[in-house]
Amino acid sequence: MRLIATADPRWLDEALAHLGRGLVVALPTETVYGLASLLRPEAVDGIFALKGRAAEKALPLQTDSVERALAWGFTLSAPARRLAERFWPGPLTLLLGRPARCPRWFAPGSRLIALRVPDHPIVGALLRAAGEPLAVTSANPSGEPECLDSAEVARMFAHAANLLVVDGGHAPGGVASTVVDASGPEPRVMRVGPIRQAAIEEAWRDA
């Protein structure tokens, strides 16, 4: 495990290089700290190993904009697009139809892929620089509380040789994102987070 502060002007280059080696980067989002990797089998496996996450629990993706998501092959229905326009960037994860471009080995058998556009300058900078979606999930061993600062991440993953921790201060939200299945005719809130169901339903129907 290695730590670098965002006050260091090399942090972004270091994080990109670390990802490029198929390794994992921990960094803040507006909700909690996350573990991020490129969509490479060994890199994604690294996140599963760090978290002790069950193999059948697919990882979410994050990207820097709706436009990038569409260019990568995600499609949004008109109501789902309204959710994206209202709440992205922000603490909303949408379950969307699996893009044809999504590698077969990633979330095998899943017809839906979770996607979020986060609202935090540090993860946003990394996503823009990467130029492609990253696998990102909360930085905590499965079943443990989410980490809200780099010290918590460093303590929980002290012996993780494949991890670079980007110290970007305290994660301001402190609560994992709201998760909504936006693949059908009605929105299904799968996990309640900062955005409440009433706000989701209002935006969904706000034609």
Side-chain angles (χ1 to χ4, degrees):
M1 192 275 299
R2 190 160 59 88
L3 185 73
I4 188 168
T6 53
D8 187 328
R10 301 170 298 172
W11 80 264
L12 184 54
D13 289 339
E14 291 278 339
L16 286 171
H18 201 76
L19 291 176
R21 292 193 291 271
L23 303 175
V24 181
V25 172
L27 73 172
T29 77
E30 81 280 21
T31 55
V32 298
Y33 266 67
L35 299 175
S37 79
L38 293 174
L39 291 188
R40 296 182 185 175
E42 71 278 11
V44 169
D45 287 347
I47 292 181
F48 276 95
L50 281 171
K51 287 182 65 73
R53 186 181 177 98
E56 64 272 15
K57 292 185 66 177
L59 296 178
L61 300 182
Q62 290 188 9
T63 191
D64 66 308
S65 65
V66 175
E67 290 72 25
R68 182 92 69 185
L70 295 173
W72 203 73
F74 280 99
T75 59
L76 287 80
S77 66
R81 186 64 181 256
R82 288 195 289 272
L83 291 182
E85 290 172 350
R86 178 78 62 87
F87 299 114
W88 280 354
L92 174 67
T93 298
L94 295 180
L95 292 171
L96 301 168
R98 183 188 187 94
R101 190 171 174 179
C102 191
R104 289 185 179 180
W105 57 263
F106 184 81
S110 297
R111 68 177 186 87
L112 302 178
I113 299 294
L115 179 69
R116 186 160 87 88
V117 177
D119 186 19
H120 192 284
I122 294 171
V123 68
L126 184 62
L127 289 165
R128 285 190 298 276
E132 60 184 283
L134 299 179
V136 184
T137 188
S138 59
N140 58 298
S142 291
E144 296 293 329
E146 292 90 352
C147 293
L148 303 183
D149 60 40
S150 62
E152 292 180 356
V153 177
R155 183 171 64 253
M156 284 195 173
F157 299 105
H159 303 295
N162 64 336
L163 184 64
L164 174 67
V165 181
V166 176
D167 180 3
H170 191 80
V175 178
S177 65
T178 298
V179 178
V180 175
D181 183 342
S183 65
E186 295 293 331
R188 295 177 59 214
V189 177
M190 311 301 289
R191 181 179 71 197
V192 176
I195 303 170
R196 298 300 175 180
Q197 183 163 343
I200 296 294
E201 293 177 350
E202 179 185 3
W204 185 269
R205 294 177 172 82
D206 189 17

